[in-house]
Amino acid sequence: MLATVRETGQISTEVVFVHNKEGGLTFSAPLRINDDTNHQSKWHWFGTFSVVPKGLQNTVWYDTRNAANNRDSQLFYSNSTDAGVTWSANVVMSNSFDPSQGYPNQDKIGDYITIVSDETGGNVAYSATFNFNPNNGQHEEDVYYVRVFPGGQGPSPTPTATPTATATSTPTPTVTPTATPTATATSTPRPTPTPRDTPAPRVRPTPRPRP
C-alpha cells in the first residue's frame, strides 16, 4: 500500500509505502519514497502507484521540493523491482505548475491522477495547469500523459508530426510512334485498246456533165 500521509509532528506530507507477505496479518514499517533532504517542510501529495505481475512497482506524486513558495508542484516518479524493499532515486517528470489555479474555484486542483503499469513501465495521466488562458487571466486545468519506466525516465517527448508523403507524379511513358507503312502505288495496267474497224472508203458522187 502506498499513501500520502502526515507524519507525527510534521505539518507537511510524505509519500510512504508499506507491504506484507502473509495475508495482511502484519505490515512493514512505513518507508518514505520521496528522497529529498528537506522533506519535512515540503509537500509530497496525491501519491499513487500500480504493480505488474512480475513485481515492478511504479509510483508518481506531486512535489513542491523545488518551489520557493512551497506551492508550485511538479510530477515525480520512483520505482521498485524488489517488491518495495528498495526504491529508485526520484525523477522529476514535469515542469512546475500552480495547483491553486484551475476550474472551478481557483482554490486547489482535484486528485485527477492515475497510473497503469505494464511489464516495462507505467502510463501516467495527470492534471496540471501549464496552460495560461488569456481570456480569464488564469491558468487552466488540463490532462497530460507521460510514460515512466526504470532506467529511462523522462518527460514525454513532443510529438513529431509525421510528414505527409508528397505525391510524386509518375511520368507517363513516352509512346514510341509506330511507323505507318507508306502504301506503295501499284500501277493499274491500262486496258488494251480494241482496234477500230478499217474504214470503208466513201463513194464520191459523179459530177453532172456540163452543158
Side-chain angles (χ1 to χ4, degrees):
M1 180 176 66
L2 181 138
T4 299
V5 299
R6 177 178 290 175
E7 296 184 346
T8 303
Q10 189 170 316
I11 62 169
S12 60
T13 53
E14 313 277 13
V15 175
V16 300
F17 173 79
V18 296
H19 71 278
N20 94 346
K21 297 183 178 180
E22 75 289 75
L25 296 178
T26 61
F27 283 85
S28 65
L31 176 65
R32 180 168 54 90
I33 305 302
N34 52 283
D35 60 5
D36 48 329
T37 56
N38 192 27
H39 60 94
Q40 294 93 342
S41 61
K42 296 295 182 177
W43 295 91
H44 316 87
W45 52 291
F46 284 174
T48 183
F49 87 132
S50 64
V51 183
V52 293
K54 289 187 177 181
L56 175 64
Q57 300 183 23
N58 297 295
T59 180
V60 290
W61 66 93
Y62 297 134
D63 199 307
T64 67
R65 71 179 70 181
N66 295 322
N69 61 9
N70 205 22
R71 180 184 68 242
D72 293 347
S73 301
Q74 294 171 287
L75 184 73
F76 271 75
Y77 166 67
S78 181
N79 70 79
S80 174
T81 57
D82 56 11
V85 176
T86 60
W87 290 80
S88 67
N90 299 173
V91 179
V92 62
M93 300 301 298
S94 78
N95 293 328
S96 180
F97 66 93
D98 184 352
S100 68
Q101 296 195 24
Y103 184 85
N105 298 318
Q106 310 301 333
D107 183 19
K108 190 173 185 179
I109 202 168
D111 54 346
Y112 311 123
I113 181 172
T114 189
I115 180 171
V116 177
S117 293
D118 53 38
E119 294 182 357
T120 60
N123 302 285
V124 183
Y126 68 103
S127 53
T129 59
F130 301 131
N131 251 0
F132 181 76
N133 188 340
N135 295 326
N136 58 15
Q138 294 278 357
H139 285 80
E140 61 185 18
E141 182 177 345
D142 298 299
V143 177
Y144 295 88
Y145 166 84
V146 67
R147 171 76 178 173
V148 295
F149 49 93
Q153 303 91 340
S156 296
T158 302
T160 303
T162 303
T164 304
T166 303
T168 304
S169 58
T170 305
T172 305
T174 304
V175 179
T176 304
T178 304
T180 304
T182 304
T184 304
T186 305
S187 58
T188 305
R190 294 182 179 178
T192 303
T194 304
R196 296 181 179 176
D197 293 337
T198 303
R202 293 181 180 180
V203 180
R204 293 183 179 182
T206 303
R208 293 178 180 181
R210 294 177 181 180

